[in-house]
């Protein structure tokens, strides 16, 4: 197998790095993290580069679906915090990938061109106060109006990151009796401006490009045309939820973890050559050298696993096992990598004037968000046919 990076990939990576140096310096990234905010102005400049079209076919105004390239964009953006990586995911993945996989043709024509230009952000309305990994137990309800022209939604979604900056909430709803749980689920596009929506912030550690929120739906009405997939997809949301879009979702959050781990290694590697203790640079001490080399070796393994799964997704091949393996391996090992790098920097790795403390706050979320490590183990064992009795 040829692991040499393609020329267009290197050019893309270099373009993003130049953009970040100009438009998202480290000082601005720290400021946005402290405010739990992103910069719409900088994000608009990023969209002007055309990268939000990497998950949209050309026929809908995109650059053609190239999941691997989109994953590399996330990796590079995440090296400068999540203030750009987050909104990019909300557009190119929560929006474009879900619309491409599940929307009706009319919905694709309406949404994909705008998503390709970076004009829309989607948020996920999946989890609930009593529903985490077991999404088939979703309790937020939706019913059709008497004339069938509206869908009426009630209930509370939790951990709805980015609801305050999003235009649309991609919402999982219960549309039939709860007992037949896998058949009575649907997906609905709910504009965040809809009457009856209340948004409540949840203070949290890490990934602070936007507040994570509760979204409360109180008799929220949307047009029946907002049912994802069209009128024939009422009660068919489960198959839409667990398809290719979910595989790719595991990849995009894994790319964030890889980007954070990568920049942590770069910072610690550089710091070790600048800091002197006991008469020499600390990079000369065997304990420090071993920590840095172990971190860089784990990082290389993480990159190979993620890129392989992303390549499979780009080729349209099944990557359900590989994406779960990448999420599991990178999510867990990235934590070890970053914490090792923090120890290399000692007390400075905890100081706000350095970015390492932010890397730590962000990375500890990675084995949890986007499907926990234990969930990935269950996915892998099930997909590989391992009996559970």
């Amino acid at each position: 197998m040829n692991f040499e990076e393609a020329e267009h990939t290197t050019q893309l990576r270099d373009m993003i790095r130049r953009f970040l140096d100009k438009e998202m310096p480290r000082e601005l990234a720290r400021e946005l993290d402290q405010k739990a905010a992103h910069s719409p102005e900088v994000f608009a400049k990023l969209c002007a580069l055309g990268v939000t079209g990497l998950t949209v076919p050309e026929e809908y105004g995109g650059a053609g679906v190239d999941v691997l390239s989109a994953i590399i964009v996330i990796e590079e953006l995440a090296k400068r915090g999540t203030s750009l990586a987050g909104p990019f995911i909300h557009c190119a993945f929560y929006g474009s990938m879900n619309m491409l996989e599940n929307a009706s043709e009319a919905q694709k024509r309406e949404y994909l061109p705008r998503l390709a230009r970076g004009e829309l952000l989607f948020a996920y309305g999946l989890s609930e106060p009593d529903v985490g990994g077991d999404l088939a137990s979703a309790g937020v309800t939706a019913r059709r109006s008497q004339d069938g022209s509206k869908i009426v939604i009630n209930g509370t979604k939790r951990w709805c990151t980015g609801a305050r900056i999003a235009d649309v909430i991609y919402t999982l709803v219960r549309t039939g009796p709860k007992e037949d749980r896998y058949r009575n689920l649907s997906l609905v596009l709910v504009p965040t401006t809809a009457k009856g929506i209340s948004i409540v912030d949840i203070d949290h550690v890490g990934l602070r490009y936007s507040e994570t929120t509760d979204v409360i739906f109180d008799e929220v009405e949307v047009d029946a045309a907002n049912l994802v997939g069209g009128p024939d997809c009422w009660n068919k949301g489960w198959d839409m939820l667990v398809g290719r879009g979910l595989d790719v979702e595991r990849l995009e959050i894994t790319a964030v973890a890889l980007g954070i781990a990568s920049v942590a290694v770069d910072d610690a590697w550089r710091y070790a050559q600048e800091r002197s203790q006991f008469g020499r640079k600390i990079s000369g001490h065997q304990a420090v050298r071993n920590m840095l080399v172990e971190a860089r070796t784990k990082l290389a393994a993480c990159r190979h696993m993620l890129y392989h799964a992303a390549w499979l997704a780009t080729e349209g091949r099944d990557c359900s096992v590989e994406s779960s393996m990448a999420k599991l391996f990178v999510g867990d090992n990235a934590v070890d990598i970053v914490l090792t790098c923090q120890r290399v920097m000692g007390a400075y790795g905890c100081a706000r004037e350095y970015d390492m403390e932010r890397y730590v706050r962000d990375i500890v979320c990675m084995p949890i968000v986007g499907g926990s490590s234990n969930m990935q183990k269950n996915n892998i064992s099930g997909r590989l046919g391992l009996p559970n009795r």
Side-chain angles (χ1 to χ4, degrees), residues 355-376:
D355 293 320
M356 189 64 69
E357 66 87 25
R358 185 182 75 241
Y359 306 154
V360 171
R361 286 188 284 107
D362 285 345
I363 208 67
V364 294
C365 303
M366 291 303 164
I368 302 170
V369 298
S372 70
S373 292
N374 284 335
M375 287 178 60
Q376 302 314 319

Side-chain angles (χ1 to χ4, degrees), residues 69-108:
S69 291
I71 289 297
I72 287 171
V73 170
I74 296 172
E75 177 192 353
E76 293 298 327
L77 293 177
K79 293 178 181 179
R80 201 57 57 86
T82 54
S83 58
L84 285 173
F88 177 80
I89 289 170
H90 284 264
C91 177
F93 286 84
Y94 292 2
S96 296
M97 286 302 302
N98 281 305
M99 289 292 94
L100 181 60
E101 294 298 318
N102 298 322
S104 66
E105 184 58 31
Q107 290 167 341
K108 290 177 183 178

